[in-house]
Amino acid sequence: MQERIAFYEDMKAYNQLFELLSGGIFRFTCSLVKSREVAEEIVSDVFIKIWQIRERLPEIENLKVYLYTIARNFSLNYITKHYKNTMISLEELDVEAVIELNGPAEMCISADLIQQIRRIIRQLPPQCQLIFQLVKEEGLKYKEVAAVLDISPLTVRNQLAIAVRKIGEALPTYLQSGFTVINRFSHS
Amino acid sequence: MYMQEDQIKQEERFWLLVSLRLACEATPEELAELEAYLVQRPEMGVRMEMLHGLWESRPADARRGGALNRHLQRLSNHLSSPALNYETAVPHEEEEEVKMVSTGPSRWVHRILWPALGIAAAIIVVFLFVGEQEPRGEAVRTAQNTVSTKPGSKSKIQLPDGSQVWLNADSRITYDENFRGPFRQVQITGEAYFDIAKDKDHPFIIHANSIDVKVLGTSLNIRSYNNEKKTEAVLIRGSIEVTLQSSPDKKIILQPNEKLVVQNGKAMMIIKDTLKRQKETAVPVMTLAKAHLQDKDSTAMDILWVKNQLAFDKETLEDVARKIERWYDVKVTITDARLKHTEYSAVFEDESLRQVMEALRMTGNFRYIINKKEITITP
């Protein structure tokens, strides 16, 4: 796809790339700038940038990481320009992770419990929230998250474990109607 | 005591293993270790499975539909900004534009007059109208200012950048309160005349029904009433670039005194002059023509309203009625269908409703009754 955009100026490939990755980048940007409108503009800027540098796309090793990284930089620039006046880093940033939580119906997870989990996620440190979002929602590998957030893969691994533990500990250790689930589990 | 610490460590290890498994980063050894742990602590398995269920829920696209279209619109605006160096419409910029369309317009496109180039290419591209007419700027980042006029009244406002806008009756303009960002953007419903302050670094974009108009510093008239079938743009001075919302990667550049008329929400596109040969019966979706100038001082008919003159320029009685409704805040009913299509041209200045109606009656062949705010036109 990268090559098709670069060599043939292939609009179709470019549109596919947008459809494929812009949703995730939009959510990531939303978490940082906390405005859907601004996020949409930033995502658009990211893809404009990609079009501008299309000849160089084949040199980029991991386009996904590259796109998320530009989105991160654009978001930080935006925040620096509009709110603070000093340069800020990701760790200082107050983020709001965009996480989807809908257990399958058979799980019988109550709305209360979902609310409680949301609260737990919101109370996680900003970096931890972002890591959780990028791994769970966008399916990024540890290495990719590390590159996007400019931290070590080990930090990603540890932070994700913390997020998972905090959420896991809020879950009940029994299920009201969880027979099928337990069965399924015992085979795995 | 030791037991407890041990257990905490064990549980931390367990959650680490679970997180590795969820992220698909676990090694076979780690998975085996997890299995072994679960044999000892089956109740933790319930939690893990629940977490797994939550983990699997995939996010829906949180954006409004048409994100790609909106992006392509911005991309094309961006690519074209060098071409907007005022009065220097650069043909080769546009040729590059055409290349972007993978279908590749056939040779005849290049023979057509250059302003028609964008339109012609657009014909090829737009075969199905994509009715992207959602209101823009819904979730508001900054406060939105809205100025609106009622039927029977007009208004003139100054935007934060110094641009002046005359708002005709029953119209509305919306813009960001602080008017910052790379673009100066306004949304218009109804009719407005713009005299836009020059600012090369911040293109001015007018969003109307069906079209977006991008300008640097110029004056133009936009007519885009929701209850009318068409949207019109007339350029008075300078240069503007019009984008059809249904075909965001195509642009039409207008020269002074040119008028672009776009039918709102149509599927086919035919241009009056260039494609006359084709026997299409549909109403043209878009026409580009010279604006009609008034004889005495060659002002475009379309902007006479700014000078408080009520003008009809070969308009059907139906359109005339609609204008009168807005101008005088009345309701006009035409009882006969044939009457609706008769055409009128006239200019009125400071005349009462009765004088206007009387003049129309004398040229046309109809009768009318004025009952307070209701006018009925009969054969």
Side-chain angles (χ1 to χ4, degrees):
Chain A
M1 198 185 281
Q2 270 160 277
E3 265 111 54
R4 273 165 58 200
I5 298 173
F7 299 137
Y8 307 116
E9 305 202 340
D10 186 339
M11 246 355 223
K12 215 166 141 195
Y14 178 78
N15 291 354
Q16 276 170 6
L17 181 75
F18 187 90
E19 297 287 11
L20 194 67
L21 290 175
S22 68
I25 295 170
F26 173 76
R27 285 185 290 272
F28 173 60
T29 312
C30 258
S31 304
L32 300 176
V33 300
K34 292 183 235 120
S35 153
R36 299 156 60 94
E37 289 232 315
V38 175
E40 182 162 321
E41 215 163 275
I42 289 174
V43 171
S44 183
D45 288 343
V46 169
F47 279 87
I48 286 175
K49 170 114 182 161
I50 288 299
W51 183 257
Q52 285 170 334
I53 60 156
R54 57 189 179 278
E55 303 87 27
R56 301 210 308 272
L57 288 185
E59 298 158 29
I60 295 166
E61 202 181 314
N62 187 330
L63 189 57
K64 195 171 173 183
V65 167
Y66 189 77
L67 284 163
Y68 274 94
T69 310
I70 306 177
R72 180 203 70 181
N73 292 342
F74 283 4
S75 302
L76 288 179
N77 287 349
Y78 171 83
I79 294 160
T80 306
K81 214 156 109 196
H82 287 258
Y83 295 112
K84 330 268 169 171
N85 277 309
T86 50
M87 213 28 216
I88 56 159
S89 66
L90 270 184
E91 297 96 88
E92 302 167 73
L93 188 64
D94 173 34
V95 304
E96 218 166 79
V98 183
I99 307 285
E100 181 76 23
L101 291 174
N102 283 315
E106 81 227 49
M107 291 295 230
C108 294
I109 295 175
S110 68
D112 272 359
L113 186 54
I114 297 276
Q115 278 311 309
Q116 199 190 333
I117 296 169
R118 283 192 192 287
R119 263 199 305 280
I120 292 169
I121 294 172
R122 269 202 302 277
Q123 282 162 8
L124 292 170
Q127 196 188 59
C128 191
Q129 284 189 46
L130 288 177
I131 291 168
F132 186 72
Q133 183 183 341
L134 289 175
V135 177
K136 174 189 176 300
E137 305 293 279
E138 318 312 342
L140 264 61
K141 308 305 290 175
Y142 286 1
K143 261 197 221 156
E144 295 175 326
V145 177
V148 170
L149 300 181
D150 198 17
I151 51 182
S152 82
L154 194 66
T155 310
V156 176
R157 175 185 143 118
N158 292 339
Q159 291 289 312
L160 187 74
I162 290 171
V164 166
R165 174 163 62 85
K166 290 258 166 77
I167 297 164
E169 282 172 355
L171 297 171
T173 49
Y174 58 89
L175 289 172
Q176 285 95 339
S177 60
F179 202 60
T180 53
V181 178
I182 290 169
N183 269 349
R184 200 179 61 192
F185 161 68
S186 62
H187 290 296
S188 69
Chain B
M1 190 66 189
Y2 285 118
M3 275 288 284
Q4 241 179 356
E5 256 178 48
D6 219 37
Q7 197 180 335
I8 289 170
K9 276 220 173 104
Q10 266 189 11
E11 283 189 10
E12 271 180 14
R13 177 76 186 160
F14 165 73
W15 290 116
L16 173 68
L17 293 171
V18 170
S19 69
L20 286 165
R21 190 189 136 184
L22 290 173
C24 302
E25 297 263 8
T27 62
E29 293 79 38
E30 284 163 339
L31 286 176
E33 190 187 339
L34 184 60
E35 288 286 312
Y37 182 87
L38 286 169
V39 174
Q40 289 178 307
R41 303 277 305 274
E43 80 283 2
M44 295 297 258
V46 177
R47 283 175 161 178
M48 187 181 81
E49 277 303 313
M50 262 184 147
L51 203 53
H52 197 80
L54 289 170
W55 189 271
E56 289 303 303
S57 56
R58 288 275 75 90
D61 196 332
R63 292 168 298 178
R64 291 181 291 134
L68 175 63
N69 274 344
R70 286 192 300 278
H71 164 65
L72 291 177
Q73 164 90 60
R74 287 189 76 232
L75 177 68
S76 91
N77 283 342
H78 197 89
L79 294 176
S80 69
S81 43
L84 272 169
N85 265 339
Y86 219 70
E87 275 149 20
T88 52
V90 190
H92 97 250
E93 281 282 335
E94 193 68 10
E95 268 170 25
E96 195 174 293
E97 274 291 299
V98 174
K99 253 190 275 165
M100 274 168 58
V101 183
S102 47
T103 48
S106 53
R107 226 170 288 136
W108 59 268
V109 171
H110 296 281
R111 274 189 258 127
I112 305 176
L113 273 178
W114 131 241
L117 183 68
I119 309 170
I123 303 169
I124 297 164
V125 178
V126 185
F127 40 90
L128 271 177
F129 179 80
V130 191
E132 184 83 25
Q133 300 197 358
E134 321 157 39
R136 276 153 204 269
E138 16 131 64
V140 197
R141 166 170 30 129
T142 47
Q144 297 263 300
N145 268 350
T146 298
V147 179
S148 56
T149 50
K150 292 197 178 71
S153 70
K154 292 190 280 293
S155 171
K156 183 186 167 190
I157 56 169
Q158 181 155 356
L159 297 174
D161 67 332
S163 297
Q164 306 203 28
V165 183
W166 284 257
L167 213 50
N168 205 346
D170 194 17
S171 302
R172 192 173 70 238
I173 183 168
T174 307
Y175 56 95
D176 267 10
E177 191 165 49
N178 52 16
F179 222 53
R180 277 186 315 191
F183 301 106
R184 301 173 279 167
Q185 301 196 65
V186 300
Q187 170 88 37
I188 176 87
T189 311
E191 184 163 23
Y193 175 76
F194 292 88
D195 200 343
I196 293 161
K198 271 193 193 178
D199 180 355
K200 285 194 178 180
D201 298 329
H202 299 89
F204 195 104
I205 298 176
I206 304 162
H207 301 286
N209 219 339
S210 304
I211 57 171
D212 295 325
V213 180
K214 181 174 165 186
V215 296
L216 283 176
T218 187
S219 46
L220 73 154
N221 194 67
I222 300 278
R223 180 181 170 92
S224 176
Y225 282 105
N226 282 339
N227 58 358
E228 291 188 350
K229 294 191 196 83
K230 54 191 198 265
T231 295
E232 301 179 356
V234 180
L235 179 65
I236 307 302
R237 262 201 321 274
S239 145
I240 58 172
E241 183 186 274
V242 182
T243 314
L244 295 189
Q245 284 156 11
S246 57
S247 174
D249 50 357
K250 285 288 142 260
K251 297 185 276 292
I252 302 115
I253 306 230
L254 256 65
Q255 305 297 330
N257 286 328
E258 277 185 339
K259 175 175 184 169
L260 181 77
V261 181
V262 179
Q263 301 294 321
N264 298 330
K266 280 282 163 58
M268 294 250 311
M269 194 182 284
I270 305 133
I271 306 155
K272 214 184 218 165
D273 298 319
T274 50
L275 292 179
K276 226 173 209 167
R277 287 154 279 147
Q278 299 198 1
K279 288 172 187 159
E280 298 284 355
T281 47
V283 187
V285 162
M286 190 164 75
T287 50
L288 182 64
K290 285 281 169 207
H292 287 163
L293 307 179
Q294 204 187 16
D295 296 332
K296 62 176 183 194
D297 57 358
S298 61
T299 310
M301 295 289 276
D302 306 87
I303 60 162
L304 289 176
W305 66 267
V306 178
K307 301 178 171 180
N308 218 17
Q309 296 176 11
L310 175 60
F312 310 122
D313 180 20
K314 282 194 183 161
E315 286 171 79
T316 63
L317 191 57
E318 196 175 17
D319 289 339
V320 167
R322 196 127 311 137
K323 272 193 174 172
I324 290 176
E325 284 182 341
R326 288 192 203 104
W327 197 270
Y328 293 104
D329 188 20
V330 292
K331 179 93 187 72
V332 182
T333 314
I334 304 168
T335 57
D336 185 72
R338 274 169 307 166
L339 274 181
K340 286 184 186 171
H341 303 295
T342 50
E343 286 185 349
Y344 293 82
S345 294
V347 179
F348 299 98
E349 189 170 3
D350 285 333
E351 312 229 23
S352 70
L353 173 62
R354 196 167 285 278
Q355 283 169 319
V356 170
M357 288 308 300
E358 196 55 32
L360 290 174
R361 185 190 66 80
M362 279 156 68
T363 40
N365 195 10
F366 64 77
R367 287 175 290 179
Y368 68 92
I369 307 157
I370 301 182
N371 182 14
K372 285 176 189 162
K373 290 201 143 197
E374 294 198 6
I375 301 168
T376 311
I377 295 176
T378 53

